[in-house]
Amino acid sequence: MKFVHGSDIRRGLREISPNQIAVAYVGIDWKTYIVPEKLQDIVLSPTVGTNPAAIVEIAEAIGWEHVYFLDNLHAKIYLGERSAAVGSFNLTANGLSAEGLQEAGFLVDDARALVELRARLDDYRRQAAMAYPTISSKLARLAELRALWDRAIKQGVIRNDAQATALDAYRPVSADEIYVCWVLGDITHTDQIVSPGTVNNSLAFLESDMVRPDRWILCWTPRGDGHPDERCRPYWLHVDEVIEGGAQEAPYTKVAVERTGRSELPPPFEITDAAARALYAVLNSGEFPEFLDHHETWSVDRTLPRLPAFLRAMSEAARHAATAAHTPESAEERGTATVSPDVLVREFGARIREAMDISLSKKYVKTTIEGLLKTYPPVTLAKRLVKPGSDIKSGLKSLAKHGALRLSFESIMLEPCFAPLFNKNDLDCARFNLFEADPSYRPPSP
């Protein structure tokens, strides 16, 4: 056993290379202090102190089934193959940078102690699995944490350590995390608005609309026909308060208020030129009339069931714009052009999303695929689902039964344009699975 403190803790963790962790708080810079590729599972406290963005990153790296939530966890245990670290240090910059809190602990390599620590982690996982038994329950708790985290930043309780997020990197964790709303004209506030001089921005809704604080509104300006005025740039409004009877513009009298004097909070994603064009393209597509101003009583509640599809359509519109920017103009150039890996990954993701939407609508696959698609990048998910030695998944059997194997991960992986994203083992496994599901099916040939 070796006593460590200060910068020795960070060096000790690198030597241990922990694959199992139980820790109260995790920060956005968690990857600085451990080797992410070594991590197998983690138990953490999903309370303010743990950055929700860090949870999403960890889940994308190791899978939601290996991320455990235990609200009252206060222990700090880092367990490797032959040694471990225990002490006062969380997996955060405050705990491990040697420039924040004064932390101390011990490095342990005694075999008996390691057995006891593994047993303790097993017990934490059992408790966590009872508290949050499903991915859905974890996502619901994460949505609550994200709202609490944003509120704490706005009130100056914690510092903002988040980085700007691009549209294609945005990962919503709840159906009403943001609202997409049109705005037109100023609001005349009633005396229900306390301290009107501190109102930075506001938007009115029906009293019946389920608008909640600690959410974001993506605001856009309509033309006379209800479609977006592309001369006006969309913008974000953060809902600090919701005040009933706060506006005089009946029937829109409930007001979402953003206050001045609050700490700056990073929005869900940056509204770049590409993101603005994608928003307008989706609004003008005719696929989402619920979001438009039709000169009749409009309710944000009608948009919420369609919001996940709306955001996916925005991401796809942005991807198509990026693909077009990389498309050569002449046939000769097209014959020699090489698609960038990033573009190929986005195209694969859109192809998978389209196939799964069809499969879900026809009930070919179970809704659990939705949680997996939210958790993993599509290429990573494909590699996790299509691997040697796995039983043929029920979803693949169902697709085969309905003659829809073209919608499977395996078949899309084998499309010639996507083959460069996978190694030979991945593709051989995809072919094997398709043959096992339906020997008569002829997959694409990469």
Side-chain angles (χ1 to χ4, degrees):
M1 184 178 295
K2 178 183 178 183
F3 176 72
V4 290
H5 63 94
S7 59
D8 290 340
I9 300 173
R10 182 173 177 175
R11 286 193 291 270
L13 285 185
R14 279 287 173 173
E15 292 174 4
I16 291 170
S17 190
N19 51 34
Q20 296 179 310
I21 295 175
V23 65
Y25 300 145
V26 179
I28 194 64
D29 42 12
W30 64 279
K31 290 180 285 190
T32 305
Y33 307 109
I34 65 170
V35 181
E37 294 76 15
K38 294 287 187 179
L39 185 61
Q40 296 176 2
D41 59 61
I42 185 170
V43 189
L44 55 86
S45 176
T47 54
V48 174
T50 290
N51 191 317
I55 297 178
V56 173
E57 287 186 355
I58 293 173
E60 289 185 346
I62 67 175
W64 273 109
E65 67 271 26
H66 301 297
V67 179
Y68 297 86
F69 286 179
L70 191 57
D71 291 354
N72 62 349
L73 181 67
H74 197 254
K76 290 88 178 177
I77 302 173
Y78 302 81
L79 183 61
E81 292 292 338
R82 300 180 182 84
S83 56
V86 294
S88 64
F89 32 88
N90 285 305
L91 188 52
T92 64
N94 259 347
L96 296 170
S97 67
E99 297 174 359
L101 302 174
Q102 295 294 322
E103 307 282 6
F106 290 91
L107 303 182
V108 181
D109 58 8
D110 176 73
R112 181 174 177 180
L114 292 177
V115 169
E116 293 175 346
L117 288 172
R118 288 193 178 91
R120 175 50 44 202
L121 262 70
D122 286 343
D123 185 57
Y124 290 153
R125 282 192 292 269
R126 282 193 293 270
Q127 293 182 52
M130 293 177 63
Y132 298 93
T134 64
I135 293 176
S136 295
S137 64
K138 296 174 190 177
L139 288 173
R141 178 55 186 158
L142 180 57
E144 294 174 1
L145 175 59
R146 183 174 278 180
L148 291 170
W149 182 267
D150 286 356
R151 188 185 309 168
I153 292 176
K154 291 278 281 189
Q155 295 175 348
V157 176
I158 58 177
R159 68 181 178 87
N160 170 29
D161 57 2
Q163 298 177 344
T165 301
L167 172 59
D168 59 357
Y170 171 56
R171 299 288 186 271
V173 296
S174 68
D176 67 343
E177 190 170 282
I178 70 173
Y179 311 120
V180 179
C181 304
W182 56 269
V183 296
L184 187 62
D186 295 326
I187 296 172
T188 304
H189 295 142
T190 69
D191 56 8
Q192 295 295 317
I193 302 290
V194 178
S195 302
T198 66
V199 175
N200 180 54
N201 206 345
S202 60
L203 192 61
F205 296 86
L206 296 175
E207 288 290 333
S208 60
D209 278 339
M210 296 297 292
V211 183
R212 303 170 63 187
D214 305 308
R215 299 296 191 271
W216 285 91
I217 304 176
L218 180 55
C219 303
W220 58 276
T221 303
R223 303 188 309 243
D225 63 359
H227 285 265
D229 185 343
E230 299 186 24
R231 298 170 298 176
C232 302
R233 192 168 185 84
Y235 61 90
W236 288 110
L237 183 157
H238 184 263
V239 183
D240 294 326
E241 302 172 38
V242 177
I243 301 171
E244 296 180 357
Q248 297 181 10
E249 285 74 19
Y252 304 106
T253 54
K254 179 185 283 187
V255 180
V257 173
E258 180 179 55
R259 296 286 187 179
T260 61
R262 306 289 177 93
S263 297
E264 185 178 353
L265 183 67
F269 55 84
E270 288 186 289
I271 304 180
T272 60
D273 289 345
R277 288 193 296 269
L279 170 65
Y280 292 149
V282 174
L283 288 170
N284 287 325
S285 68
E287 297 295 322
F288 299 92
E290 305 91 344
F291 291 81
L292 299 178
D293 171 20
H294 285 305
H295 301 287
E296 59 185 28
T297 303
W298 183 87
S299 171
V300 72
D301 286 357
R302 288 198 293 268
T303 71
L304 297 182
R306 299 276 284 150
L307 187 56
F310 186 95
L311 293 174
R312 287 196 299 270
M314 273 188 67
S315 294
E316 186 174 349
R319 177 188 62 82
H320 281 313
T323 301
H326 287 81
T327 302
E329 296 182 359
S330 70
E332 180 178 349
E333 289 173 318
R334 284 195 297 271
T336 58
T338 300
V339 179
S340 73
D342 289 343
V343 171
L344 199 58
V345 167
R346 288 195 294 269
E347 289 181 348
F348 180 78
R351 182 78 176 82
I352 288 292
R353 183 70 259 181
E354 178 187 22
M356 291 303 103
D357 283 346
I358 295 171
S359 300
L360 285 165
S361 68
K362 295 183 178 294
K363 297 183 170 26
Y364 293 161
V365 297
K366 296 179 180 178
T367 56
T368 50
I369 193 66
E370 286 280 17
L372 294 173
L373 287 169
K374 291 179 180 178
T375 302
Y376 303 104
V379 173
T380 302
L381 180 57
K383 290 175 177 286
R384 293 180 70 90
L385 294 178
V386 183
K387 56 186 179 181
S390 297
D391 293 333
I392 303 301
K393 301 288 190 297
S394 60
L396 189 64
K397 292 178 180 177
S398 176
L399 290 171
K401 177 182 176 181
H402 291 92
L405 283 175
R406 69 188 185 285
L407 301 174
S408 66
F409 274 79
E410 284 85 348
S411 188
I412 296 171
M413 288 168 64
L414 290 169
E415 291 180 13
C417 59
F418 299 131
L421 295 174
F422 304 96
N423 60 37
K424 183 178 183 298
N425 192 47
D426 295 330
L427 299 177
D428 286 346
C429 188
R431 276 189 288 271
F432 177 82
N433 286 358
L434 290 169
F435 180 81
E436 289 291 300
D438 181 0
S440 66
Y441 179 70
R442 294 294 177 263
S445 178

